[in-house]
Amino acid sequence: MKAINWKSAPSPSYVVDERLLKRNLEILDSVQQRTGCDILLALKGFSMFSTFPLVSKYLKGVTASSLFEARLGYEEFGKEVHAYSPAYAEHEIDEYLKYIDHIVFNSFDQLNKYKEKIQKLDKHVSIGLRVNPGYSEVETALYDPCAINSRLGIPFDQFRPDELDGVEGIHFHAMCEQNSDVLERILPHFEEKYGKYLHQMKWVNFGGGHHITREDYDIDKLVDLINYVKDKYDVQVILEPGEAIALNTGYLVTTVLDIVKNGMEIAILDTSATCHMPDVLEMPYRPQIIGASTPNDKPYTYRLGGMTCLAGDVIGDYSFDEPLKPGDKIVFTDMAHYTMVKNHMFNGVNLPSICLYNEEEGIKVIRQFKYEDYRNRLS
């Protein structure tokens, strides 16, 4: 595979490699072909709509968690649009229903509030309920859909079987960046509580958190689990990974602006953890850098900091083969998902450019941001 010439990329910029994205999509489509399941792009993880012509060749549609995501999926993806929200605002529901084919409710009260409106539509919108299986293995509470007192999904002690009229599907989400063995342990908890109701459903949605395109992911086990549920309950199985679509397909290209010293050498970059890769602080996690290693593994160790005035805007400590100097390019890996969809302009810091790469065209700039993008978000 031809190497990317990072010198040709604007800085800072997100660069998505179409070759790697296609590889992921082929893996996901192989699961669809072996099981007949539907895999959706969760827009909350990856919404780079310039890639939708490619993504839509492989996946069945998108899943949205807001009105704007639903509209984006409807206008730009051109296939099925599924929606789930912890609650739907009354002033938005009519526009929502213009765009979507499936809608999942988080409570029976919301279901009963909007069911009649949905059933009177000229088109069919399939109705589902999100339930909480009461079991998960997510270590970070911020990302655990089944944490104690979670607002996501109907707990079993609040499930109302006598109010399922018009409901065609059940949705659960109990994973985050995990392998199929975790799903294997979740399913018995889900089946014990909700299995008997699946027989009257048309579909079941396994939610997200499936790291299907990760190198060590057990795809055969996932295929077996999907086929088991599909055959036992005669339902269509849906998965909606956001991260697996764009996992390891993108980069954040940055530049060293200055080197300062305070107990150690600190490199100030033209990027920001809080603005451009917020999961570094929220998750938290440590992004990888091409050619860099852990502190003190290589001869020269630096703390990499962002350009905002937030004291904690620190990406982490890394070591390099050569001393860093202003003007050096630093390229972070796995920066396609949960970056563009979460970034912001705190401190008036501009957003990275958005680029695509393929071997025919090289790095192609899709979007650059200006002062007006910052100003127009404010009042």
Side-chain angles (χ1 to χ4, degrees):
M1 187 177 287
K2 184 179 178 181
I4 299 175
N5 177 14
W6 301 115
K7 293 181 179 179
S8 64
S11 182
S13 65
Y14 301 113
V15 179
V16 172
D17 189 333
E18 290 184 272
R19 302 168 300 179
L20 303 178
L21 182 59
K22 184 178 179 182
R23 180 194 64 188
N24 281 359
L25 293 168
E26 288 172 345
I27 292 170
L28 294 167
D29 190 42
S30 73
V31 175
Q32 291 182 137
Q33 297 300 325
R34 294 172 64 185
T35 64
C37 77
D38 292 342
I39 296 182
L40 309 174
L41 165 62
L43 294 176
K44 67 179 182 181
F46 183 69
S47 296
M48 188 176 175
F49 58 89
S50 57
T51 68
F52 286 3
L54 173 62
V55 179
S56 63
K57 291 180 180 179
Y58 296 89
L59 303 187
K60 299 293 185 178
V62 302
T63 183
S65 301
S66 67
L67 176 60
F68 289 172
E69 284 186 350
R71 180 173 175 176
L72 183 73
Y74 176 81
E75 293 182 351
E76 302 291 343
F77 202 86
K79 298 176 82 170
E80 286 188 6
V81 178
H82 296 225
Y84 162 76
S85 176
Y88 298 93
E90 193 165 359
H91 69 277
E92 291 184 343
I93 193 67
D94 288 334
E95 186 178 356
Y96 244 120
L97 295 174
K98 292 179 183 179
Y99 306 136
I100 61 177
D101 305 284
H102 286 63
I103 187 167
V104 175
F105 291 104
N106 194 58
S107 72
F108 279 94
D109 288 347
Q110 283 257 302
L111 166 68
N112 294 326
K113 180 176 184 177
Y114 295 122
K115 182 170 68 173
E116 185 176 349
K117 178 188 287 285
I118 294 168
Q119 292 175 333
K120 288 181 177 179
L121 293 171
D122 292 335
K123 66 174 183 177
H124 178 69
V125 174
S126 185
I127 295 174
L129 287 171
R130 177 166 173 171
V131 300
N132 187 331
Y135 177 86
S136 64
E137 299 180 11
V138 180
E139 294 181 358
T140 305
L142 183 66
Y143 294 93
D144 185 357
C146 300
I148 295 173
N149 303 131
S150 173
R151 74 192 194 286
L152 305 176
I154 302 167
F156 185 61
D157 62 3
Q158 297 180 39
F159 197 70
R160 308 175 196 169
D162 57 338
E163 297 182 24
L164 292 176
D165 181 54
V167 176
E168 295 184 342
I170 292 180
H171 173 191
F172 70 92
H173 182 166
M175 297 172 63
C176 177
E177 299 182 352
Q178 290 170 311
N179 213 315
S180 52
D181 63 307
V182 178
L183 177 63
E184 185 177 37
R185 292 190 289 274
I186 290 169
L187 279 176
H189 295 269
F190 171 72
E191 286 187 272
E192 179 186 6
K193 296 178 177 70
Y194 304 103
K196 60 184 176 182
Y197 306 113
L198 284 185
H199 294 289
Q200 65 193 83
M201 299 295 161
K202 293 183 178 180
W203 52 267
V204 59
N205 189 324
F206 288 3
H210 311 273
H211 242 195
I212 301 169
T213 52
R214 195 172 74 197
E215 187 174 345
D216 66 342
Y217 189 89
D218 189 343
I219 292 177
D220 290 337
K221 184 183 291 292
L222 175 66
V223 167
D224 290 343
L225 294 171
I226 293 172
N227 285 330
Y228 159 73
V229 171
K230 179 182 176 182
D231 295 342
K232 181 175 180 178
Y233 298 103
D234 190 25
V235 288
Q236 179 67 21
V237 174
I238 302 168
L239 286 80
E240 47 183 45
E243 195 161 306
I245 283 82
L247 186 67
N248 294 317
T249 66
Y251 306 87
L252 175 57
V253 181
T254 69
T255 301
V256 177
L257 299 178
D258 195 13
I259 307 291
V260 299
K261 294 182 180 181
N262 186 357
M264 67 181 299
E265 292 196 292
I266 304 166
I268 310 298
L269 309 183
D270 65 347
T271 189
S272 162
T274 188
C275 293
H276 301 159
M277 38 181 143
D279 271 358
V280 169
L281 303 183
E282 290 180 10
M283 187 72 172
Y285 86 103
R286 173 189 170 84
Q288 300 298 309
I289 295 173
I290 294 176
S293 186
T294 53
N296 303 312
D297 181 54
K298 292 175 179 285
Y300 302 94
T301 293
Y302 296 84
R303 177 161 295 169
L304 304 184
M307 60 189 301
T308 73
C309 65
L310 177 69
D313 189 2
V314 173
I315 301 157
D317 296 354
Y318 297 82
S319 65
F320 299 83
D321 291 317
E322 302 292 336
L324 293 181
K325 61 185 185 300
D328 285 348
K329 285 278 179 71
I330 291 180
V331 181
F332 295 90
T333 65
D334 198 20
M335 283 286 153
H337 56 85
Y338 290 110
T339 51
M340 290 174 268
V341 294
K342 296 184 74 171
N343 63 19
H344 52 80
M345 290 178 152
F346 167 69
N347 235 173
V349 172
N350 199 10
L351 299 175
S353 301
I354 298 176
C355 307
L356 278 173
Y357 173 84
N358 60 54
E359 292 187 355
E360 293 74 29
E361 300 171 286
I363 291 177
K364 178 172 59 175
V365 178
I366 305 298
R367 174 80 190 273
Q368 290 183 305
F369 299 90
K370 300 180 179 180
Y371 165 73
E372 288 73 20
D373 296 297
Y374 167 69
R375 180 188 181 279
N376 291 342
R377 295 175 66 251
L378 304 172
S379 58

